[in-house]
Amino acid sequence: MQKTLLVLALLIPGVLHAQAPVSKLGSGSVEERLAQLERVMDARNAAQMALLDQMGQLQDEVANLRGTTEEHAYQIEQILQRQREIYQEIDRRLATNPQPLPVASDTNATANSGASASYSTNLSENEAYEQAIQLVLRDKRYDAAVPAFNAFIENFPQSSYVPNAHYWLGQLLFAESNYDQAKVHFTTVMNDFKDSNKRGDCILKLGIIAQQQDDTATARQYYNQVMQEYPSSTEAGLAKKRLDNL
């Protein structure tokens, strides 16, 4: 805003001066007065063009700032989403298994203790998923997390954690701009795990990938799908913003 005011303050006096009435051209021959008039008109036109150029530059800067702001808003939302996922993981584990994980010899006792069916009683399965999650959330070893999640899906294909494993693989590959592989995992969650709480974000990511790959029609389709299937979600709000900017 200060830059805009400064530009206008510098340009407006020049424009006003260039638009001085013809009556102030003074006396002299017709040729001299015509020459003076041409100089005034040239000065006015030059000032107007300079003003238009400055306005164009300011519009470009505003557009760039708007794009940067939207990108930062998206990144902040991703951080908040990640925090929510961490809290959800903690809440789920506290709700389904409030006691420390048992040793291998206590597995059968845990199975009979009334724990929720959605929480695996297979200790090795729990440990494998926990290890993969911690590589992401705690250790930030994203390169090691990818094979860990892949191994988990291969070793425990019937696990209730499989949709989450696909989701995290999609996120990790997406962060590396490995869009084709990320798309495979996001599509798996979208098509095969309709009840996953990460499905909306997977569809949103599929739209972003399509947009990054210049497939505007597919991106629009995914953004509309998010808005239709998850109308009150954060993902729907982000999808609408991206759809408006397509």
Side-chain angles (χ1 to χ4, degrees):
M1 181 60 72
Q2 292 179 346
K3 183 176 180 180
T4 303
L5 293 176
L6 178 59
V7 170
L8 293 177
L10 292 173
L11 291 177
I12 288 175
V15 174
L16 294 176
H17 176 74
Q19 293 178 335
V22 177
S23 60
K24 295 184 179 181
L25 293 178
S27 60
S29 67
V30 174
E31 289 80 4
E32 291 175 347
R33 297 181 65 183
L34 286 175
Q36 190 175 1
L37 177 60
E38 288 177 357
R39 288 194 295 273
V40 171
M41 295 298 294
D42 290 342
R44 182 177 65 180
N45 292 336
Q48 289 176 338
M49 291 301 299
L51 181 58
L52 290 175
D53 288 342
Q54 290 292 337
M55 290 178 63
Q57 292 176 8
L58 290 174
Q59 288 174 343
D60 291 341
E61 290 179 6
V62 169
N64 290 334
L65 288 173
R66 183 180 294 112
T68 301
T69 300
E70 291 176 353
E71 185 63 28
H72 287 170
Y74 176 74
Q75 292 173 355
I76 291 172
E77 180 55 38
Q78 288 293 291
I79 294 172
L80 294 175
Q81 177 66 23
R82 183 172 173 183
Q83 290 178 335
R84 286 194 292 269
E85 289 165 358
I86 295 173
Y87 295 147
Q88 288 170 359
E89 287 287 336
I90 294 172
D91 291 341
R92 178 181 59 75
R93 296 182 188 191
L94 290 175
T96 57
N97 190 16
Q99 301 300 321
L101 287 175
V103 295
S105 60
D106 292 336
T107 300
N108 291 334
T110 303
N112 296 326
S113 66
S116 170
S118 65
Y119 186 81
S120 173
T121 58
N122 186 324
L123 182 60
S124 60
E125 177 185 335
N126 290 336
E127 286 182 333
Y129 182 73
E130 177 71 18
Q131 182 184 41
I133 282 290
Q134 292 303 331
L135 285 171
V136 177
L137 302 181
R138 182 189 62 199
D139 301 335
K140 307 295 189 295
R141 294 181 57 199
Y142 306 128
D143 56 335
V146 170
F149 280 117
N150 278 323
F152 177 83
I153 293 172
E154 181 179 354
N155 294 331
F156 306 100
Q158 303 303 317
S159 172
S160 60
Y161 302 138
V162 166
N164 283 11
H166 279 294
Y167 170 79
W168 282 111
L169 277 169
Q171 290 281 58
L172 291 165
L173 293 166
F174 178 87
E176 295 175 355
S177 298
N178 189 344
Y179 295 137
D180 290 335
Q181 289 299 315
K183 186 161 52 176
V184 171
H185 294 286
F186 289 141
T187 301
T188 297
V189 177
M190 180 183 69
N191 292 336
D192 298 344
F193 302 98
K194 305 284 189 181
D195 296 330
S196 172
N197 63 355
K198 295 176 172 55
R199 183 171 178 269
D201 192 42
C202 287
I203 301 174
L204 175 65
K205 289 299 193 310
L206 287 170
I208 296 174
I209 291 173
Q211 187 175 357
Q212 291 287 345
Q213 296 178 333
D214 296 324
D215 188 352
T216 304
T218 301
R220 182 176 288 106
Q221 174 185 338
Y222 282 128
Y223 292 150
N224 281 320
Q225 183 176 353
V226 175
M227 294 167 60
Q228 291 170 3
E229 297 186 18
Y230 303 93
S232 300
S233 67
T234 300
E235 289 78 10
L238 294 171
K240 185 178 185 307
K241 289 180 180 178
R242 287 186 167 269
L243 190 61
D244 291 342
N245 290 328
L246 280 180

